[in-house]
Amino acid sequence: MQRNDITASSPSGGWQRASLRETLWCLVALALWFTVTVLFIGFRPEHVVLALLIAGMYFAFPASRRLTVAILPFIVFGISYDWMNLLPNYEVNPVDVAGLYNTEKLLFGINVAEGVRLTPNEFWAHHTGAAMDFMAGIFYLCWVPLPIIYGLWLYFSGRRGPYLHFAMAFLLVNLIGFGLYYVHPAAPPWYVAMHGMEAVPGTSGEVAGLGAFDRMTGLGIFNALYARNANVFAAMPSLHSAYTFVAFIYACRSRSPIAWRVLLGVVTLGIWFTAVYTSHHYILDVLGGIGCSIVAVLLFEGVLMRIGGFRRFMERYVAYIK
């Protein structure tokens, strides 16, 4: 893809308004997304806000258009998550409730008395503390924002190649994880504690142990987030455990400043602990998220980037956002 194929040039060679081709691609993509979402999921005001924001950034300035194209992997991630409402995973395969719970207890259970064995989630439910509750909330608030902030840092610091590799791997992690949600729907630990071993379709989301952070701060952040959770039976793999881990991998690969590597490493470990501590995930789920991240990076860097057509696509993509 040559520059004159995708942009209109000024006499000085700079990028100006979007070309006809770019304009059509943007408008058709937005119309398709908006139509499918409204018809099959339901209209929400934020859909209009998001559409206007994307269009506004795309058509406003050359720099904002390049940024919009650069963050497409994150936009597709958000749309893919929302579109899982089109077909709930519990309608595709049976939900694993007891199997995952019993396996967790067998492999990682903690004996607290003779004949009494608890999962790590159940153990921590009886050993909470204010400091851990607070830090758990802080760590979990970082699960998506921090990787995105790191990606934007890569982008605005001029590391467009490493940025795009990270963004595409991040998207691939999600696509793999979303696929596994349909292959193996699974209930989280809090579901067992509240509802037992029978999967009930339509069960609403729950803040579980993160409610302590809401009560402590009075912010109600997690109540607002989990009240709209459309994926109650999407515990395995834990994508919460994957996102900052992928960012950490690419921070190491791109030799980002030590501050980024330390921050991402610490937050990743904190999220792994928090996932179990707050009963949102089993250790098995966390391991699944870690494995999903490693597979995605290996698949992207070791397989896709060795395919000539895909590698050339990435080269053109990087050239465009530069």
Side-chain angles (χ1 to χ4, degrees):
M1 183 183 301
Q2 300 299 320
R3 178 172 295 184
N4 59 2
D5 289 331
I6 56 178
T7 60
S9 301
S10 71
S12 61
W15 291 6
Q16 297 298 311
R17 67 184 183 278
S19 67
L20 176 61
R21 183 181 179 185
E22 289 177 309
T23 301
L24 289 176
W25 269 110
C26 181
L27 294 179
V28 169
L30 284 175
L32 177 62
W33 160 67
F34 195 80
T35 301
V36 172
T37 300
V38 171
L39 289 179
F40 298 101
I41 296 176
F43 172 79
R44 296 198 305 267
E46 56 262 38
H47 292 143
V48 176
V49 173
L50 182 58
L52 292 176
L53 178 62
I54 293 173
M57 288 180 59
Y58 190 80
F59 292 112
F61 304 103
S64 63
R65 180 161 60 253
R66 292 193 295 272
L67 176 59
T68 306
V69 173
I71 64 174
L72 270 178
F74 294 103
I75 295 174
V76 173
F77 148 64
I79 292 174
S80 300
Y81 179 82
D82 195 31
W83 276 10
M84 282 195 290
N85 288 292
L86 292 169
L87 180 63
N89 61 347
Y90 54 78
E91 293 183 2
V92 177
N93 279 307
V95 178
D96 182 357
V97 183
L100 198 56
Y101 172 84
N102 291 328
T103 304
E104 178 83 359
K105 182 178 286 189
L106 175 66
L107 295 178
F108 304 109
I110 301 169
N111 295 318
V112 295
E114 186 175 352
V116 180
R117 188 174 177 84
L118 303 177
T119 65
N121 312 96
E122 293 168 333
F123 173 83
W124 283 112
H126 297 288
H127 295 82
T128 60
M132 289 192 294
D133 290 340
F134 180 77
M135 289 308 301
I138 296 298
F139 284 132
Y140 240 49
L141 287 175
C142 294
W143 72 295
V144 168
L146 186 58
I148 292 178
I149 291 170
Y150 170 67
L152 291 175
W153 175 82
L154 283 174
Y155 180 85
F156 286 110
S157 64
R159 305 182 184 198
R160 304 295 166 84
Y163 160 77
L164 193 57
H165 278 240
F166 161 62
M168 296 292 279
F170 182 90
L171 175 59
L172 187 56
V173 167
N174 281 282
L175 296 180
I176 293 173
F178 295 167
L180 291 175
Y181 289 162
Y182 284 92
V183 172
H184 182 247
W190 63 259
Y191 183 91
V192 174
M194 296 183 66
H195 304 289
M197 296 296 177
E198 183 179 355
V200 180
T203 302
S204 59
E206 171 59 43
V207 294
L210 291 169
F213 180 86
D214 279 354
R215 292 189 294 271
M216 182 183 303
T217 61
L219 297 175
I221 296 174
F222 292 108
N223 272 295
L225 287 174
Y226 283 98
R228 300 177 60 177
N229 181 20
N231 263 317
V232 168
F233 299 123
M236 166 64 87
S238 166
L239 291 182
H240 281 88
S241 302
Y243 293 161
T244 56
F245 183 46
V246 173
F248 173 74
I249 291 173
Y250 277 92
C252 294
R253 281 181 57 88
S254 64
R255 298 184 179 180
S256 295
I258 188 67
W260 269 117
R261 284 177 274 174
V262 170
L263 176 61
L264 288 166
V266 170
V267 171
T268 296
L269 293 175
I271 288 176
W272 291 351
F273 172 75
T274 298
V276 178
Y277 175 75
T278 60
S279 287
H280 277 275
H281 290 284
Y282 296 111
I283 292 177
L284 288 170
D285 302 336
V286 173
L287 293 175
I290 295 171
C292 192
S293 302
I294 294 172
V295 168
V297 172
L298 292 176
L299 179 60
F300 181 79
E301 300 292 348
V303 178
L304 293 178
M305 287 303 297
R306 294 188 179 185
I307 299 173
F310 185 82
R311 186 174 63 253
R312 288 189 292 273
F313 161 76
M314 287 292 294
E315 290 170 353
R316 293 196 299 269
Y317 200 159
V318 171
Y320 184 86
I321 64 176
K322 280 184 178 181

